[in-house]
């Protein structure tokens, strides 16, 4: 009889190339800016407190202790 493997810890799906701590639930990203950037996109953090940019994979993470506008 085999025992099931323990559940993997809940983690973010992949390692992002850059992580940016933010204090709001809605953020914008333009990549690196200039010719190396991408179109500005607006992103909403997930209930887990993070979101990845679909263009450059930059990860935005809610800063610990942050109190986003309109949320108490």
């Amino acid at each position: 009889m085999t025992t099931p493997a323990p559940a993997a810890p809940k983690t973010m799906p992949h390692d992002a190339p850059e992580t940016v701590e933010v204090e709001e639930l809605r953020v914008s990203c333009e990549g690196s800016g200039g010719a190396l950037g991408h179109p500005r996109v607006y992103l909403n953090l997930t209930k887990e407190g993070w979101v990845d940019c679909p263009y450059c994979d930059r990860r935005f993470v809610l800063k610990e202790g942050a109190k986003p506008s309109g949320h108490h």
Side-chain angles (χ1 to χ4, degrees):
M1 185 166 145
T2 60
T3 57
K10 188 171 184 174
T11 60
M12 295 179 205
H14 70 289
D15 293 330
E18 180 182 358
T19 300
V20 179
E21 288 189 331
V22 296
E23 296 187 13
E24 295 296 332
L25 297 176
R26 185 168 170 88
V27 297
S28 66
C29 184
E30 296 178 326
S32 300
L36 300 176
H38 58 69
R40 178 180 293 165
V41 292
Y42 293 91
L43 309 164
N44 294 309
L45 274 64
T46 64
K47 64 182 178 181
E48 288 83 15
W50 60 274
V51 66
D52 289 340
C53 175
Y55 285 96
C56 66
D57 287 336
R58 181 179 286 164
R59 178 164 292 158
F60 296 89
V61 178
L62 189 62
K63 188 176 187 177
E64 190 171 331
K67 296 188 187 324
S69 301
H71 295 71
H72 302 282

